[in-house]
Amino acid sequence: MKTYTASITVTLRRAILDVQGKAVEHALHSLHMPALGNVRIGKHIELDVQAPDKETAHGLVMDACSKLLSNPVMEDFSVHIMEKASGVPA
Amino acid sequence: MKTYTASITVTLRRAILDVQGKAVEHALHSLHMPALGNVRIGKHIELDVQAPDKETAHGLVMDACSKLLSNPVMEDFSVHIMEKASGVPA
């Protein structure tokens, strides 16, 4: 068994209005940063996976994403799996 | 002026207890996924930047991160700037 680190990004689909993003965009403009716009806010999830190989780890994380971590109606997700460097504290 | 896309990841510092992450970890274990653990939840922010060059765009985004998008006491952030492909709808 190896330990892998999964980095997951969950984003609202483009067709869905991102009200949190709109609020942040408005706040940026109020802070005199008109060059920034089109703000979209999503979630970034990091977790450790115990698995015999990278493919199994990827499968476990995809399963967790579709069952719990994202709402498949409104959100998309992307998964990136890295082998955890040994000896590095979590 | 060019348009750049900034991808920002805001994460809680390691020393700060991530209660949302703990709740998700508990839910994953309840869903019979014991191989997943050490869950940390952060924010993923995407935005467009109008700037003459990549360095200026990076500076504008770093400024926005430290002033509004992250809490410097509790959170770390990383910024990645890409040139926006022309002709691709936002």
Side-chain angles (χ1 to χ4, degrees):
Chain A
M1 280 293 191
K2 283 181 183 166
T3 304
Y4 295 89
T5 300
S7 176
I8 305 159
T9 303
V10 181
T11 48
L12 264 187
R13 296 198 163 175
R14 283 281 161 202
I16 310 270
L17 175 69
D18 184 348
V19 283
Q20 195 183 357
K22 287 282 170 216
V24 168
E25 191 173 327
H26 185 76
L28 286 169
H29 293 176
S30 303
L31 288 169
H32 308 292
M33 297 187 222
L36 308 179
N38 200 14
V39 183
R40 308 281 297 175
I41 296 186
K43 278 176 286 184
H44 175 82
I45 304 166
E46 274 185 23
L47 46 80
D48 287 352
V49 193
Q50 300 283 338
D53 55 64
K54 200 169 177 177
E55 286 67 40
T56 312
H58 191 264
L60 283 167
V61 173
M62 291 297 280
D63 199 34
C65 284
S66 48
K67 278 189 186 157
L68 180 75
L69 301 175
S70 80
N71 173 351
V73 177
M74 293 169 64
E75 294 172 329
D76 291 318
F77 59 86
S78 66
V79 171
H80 182 70
I81 307 270
M82 294 151 291
E83 194 164 340
K84 194 163 187 170
S86 57
V88 174
Chain B
M1 281 293 192
K2 283 181 184 167
T3 303
Y4 295 89
T5 300
S7 176
I8 304 159
T9 304
V10 181
T11 47
L12 265 187
R13 295 197 164 176
R14 284 280 160 204
I16 309 270
L17 175 70
D18 184 349
V19 283
Q20 195 184 358
K22 287 282 172 217
V24 167
E25 192 173 326
H26 186 77
L28 286 169
H29 293 176
S30 304
L31 287 169
H32 308 294
M33 297 188 222
L36 309 180
N38 200 13
V39 182
R40 307 282 296 176
I41 296 186
K43 278 176 288 184
H44 175 81
I45 304 166
E46 274 184 23
L47 46 81
D48 288 351
V49 193
Q50 300 283 337
D53 55 62
K54 199 169 176 177
E55 287 66 40
T56 313
H58 191 264
L60 283 167
V61 173
M62 291 298 280
D63 199 34
C65 284
S66 48
K67 278 188 186 160
L68 181 75
L69 301 176
S70 80
N71 173 351
V73 177
M74 293 169 65
E75 294 172 330
D76 291 318
F77 60 86
S78 66
V79 171
H80 182 70
I81 307 271
M82 294 151 291
E83 194 163 343
K84 194 163 187 172
S86 57
V88 174

